[in-house]
Amino acid sequence: MQDLQGAAVVVAGASSGIGRATALAFAREGARLALAARREELLEEVAEECRGLGASAVVIPTDVTDADAVKRLAERTVEEFGSIDIWIANAGVGAVGRFEDTPVEAHRRVIETNLLGPLHGAHAVLPLFRRQGHGTFIATVSVGAFAPAPYAAAYAASKYGLDGLLESLRAELVDSPDLHVCGVYPAFTDTPGMMHGANYTGHELSPEGPIYDDPEDVAATMVAVARRPRAKAMVGALTPLARLGHAVAPRLVEAVAGYGAHRHFDRQPPAPHDDGNLFQPVERGRDVTGGFYTPPPAWVSPVLMAGAAVAAFAAYRGLRRH
């Protein structure tokens, strides 16, 4: 869809962070928006911002872990707008902590939200896409689909699984060229997610090093993918480099990630365990950004690129020896 004026767009997870930025980005394009999340009052605030930009917006409170609720979200959107052109599956949660220190219920909730949430969305909207002969499903995936995430094992599992879900759906839709399934892959992004996240580390949560992606950049990528659908859209330089590094030197990446995580949390002040927003919404973290962003030093990108090149060369030499 080159022109998004009047397009009917569902944004799941629209109350803050990437979802809020995405709703506003589509509003600037003149789309008609169905905004979904658990925090109804905050959704109303986002809807007013969208209307202030000249867009139509309706609020449909939804918990994406509830398949019936997601089905109702699709039905309500069709009642309002007559169709759904684009579905943004963005709702996500996180639980940070050593695997065995994190309650199994928390692991389950992360996977229910981050993997089953998009699955519920696709299951609700793909039959409609087939009937109307067109439609684009876009999910927020993550660099976590390509690289290990120590202290966030369920998050990584959900994103690896989501990547596989999208690939499988694309394979099923090979006979439907006007139906698109797309993934947007940001790296670490300056959102309120760290304020929302469950914390079982015993230490305060804080970002380690620069936060590389701006939510507005991720939102702009969502709009670009809606206009010109593609299977995988990377945001920033870190995601493709992490993907390459893990592909050619997975054990090295695991070691660096693991030791880096241990060192980071060992240096943080003590803090009590906190379920965050896993099981119920929290009031903190209402904006697009989390206020953590600092521009990365100028040397970061060249060093990352050099490291990836060295790893690729080492892998190439190893293959030639065999």
Side-chain angles (χ1 to χ4, degrees):
M1 299 182 67
Q2 293 300 304
D3 184 2
L4 296 173
Q5 181 74 35
V9 181
V10 173
V11 182
S15 58
S16 65
I18 291 170
R20 185 168 187 157
T22 297
L24 296 173
F26 277 97
R28 294 185 191 100
E29 300 294 325
R32 297 174 295 164
L33 293 157
L35 306 177
R38 292 177 294 175
R39 295 186 286 180
E40 183 173 4
E41 179 184 349
L42 194 48
L43 284 178
E44 293 288 359
E45 183 180 302
V46 179
E48 282 303 310
E49 287 188 65
C50 291
R51 293 170 190 137
L53 294 168
S56 299
V58 296
V59 167
I60 307 174
T62 306
D63 183 340
V64 299
T65 67
D66 182 340
D68 291 335
V70 176
K71 185 177 180 182
R72 289 193 296 271
L73 168 61
E75 292 169 347
R76 280 280 314 280
T77 304
V78 173
E79 288 173 7
E80 291 285 343
F81 301 139
S83 66
I84 300 174
D85 300 302
I86 300 159
W87 186 290
I88 308 291
N90 172 75
V93 297
V96 184
R98 284 184 182 269
F99 180 75
E100 66 272 21
D101 294 337
T102 301
V104 71
E105 294 82 6
H107 288 306
R108 181 183 297 113
R109 187 66 171 182
V110 170
I111 291 171
E112 286 174 343
T113 304
N114 298 358
L115 175 56
L116 294 186
L119 185 150
H120 294 158
H123 199 267
V125 79
L126 284 180
L128 172 65
F129 284 176
R130 287 189 184 276
R131 289 195 298 272
Q132 65 191 21
H134 73 274
T136 301
F137 182 89
I138 305 172
T140 304
V141 196
S142 170
V143 67
F146 305 129
Y151 286 75
Y155 179 86
S158 70
K159 296 302 184 178
Y160 270 80
L162 179 54
D163 189 51
L165 172 67
L166 300 182
E167 290 188 351
S168 299
L169 292 179
R170 282 193 293 272
E172 285 193 24
L173 294 172
V174 68
D175 60 346
S176 304
D178 292 323
L179 274 61
H180 307 284
V181 174
C182 314
V184 171
Y185 296 75
F188 305 106
T189 307
D190 179 18
T191 72
M194 195 164 294
M195 303 176 196
H196 299 159
N199 180 8
Y200 305 107
T201 66
H203 300 273
E204 289 183 7
L205 292 184
S206 67
E208 182 178 9
I211 301 296
Y212 289 96
D213 289 335
D214 184 330
E216 302 288 355
D217 293 336
V218 185
T221 302
M222 295 281 192
V223 171
V225 170
R227 283 205 178 101
R228 292 181 178 275
R230 55 191 186 274
K232 297 178 189 282
M234 309 294 168
V235 182
L238 184 61
T239 301
L241 290 174
R243 185 183 185 191
L244 173 62
H246 189 259
V248 300
R251 301 291 84 78
L252 175 61
V253 171
E254 289 168 6
V256 170
Y259 283 119
H262 294 326
R263 181 172 180 270
H264 173 69
F265 287 112
D266 286 346
R267 294 166 60 188
Q268 296 301 111
H273 285 191
D274 180 359
D275 290 332
N277 69 346
L278 289 184
F279 305 106
Q280 59 185 9
V282 295
E283 285 303 310
R284 59 186 184 266
R286 303 168 63 90
D287 299 322
V288 168
T289 63
F292 302 114
Y293 178 77
T294 54
W299 54 264
V300 168
S301 290
V303 167
L304 287 173
M305 293 179 69
V310 169
F313 179 69
Y316 171 73
R317 290 192 65 184
L319 288 171
R320 290 205 54 184
R321 289 196 193 100
H322 289 84

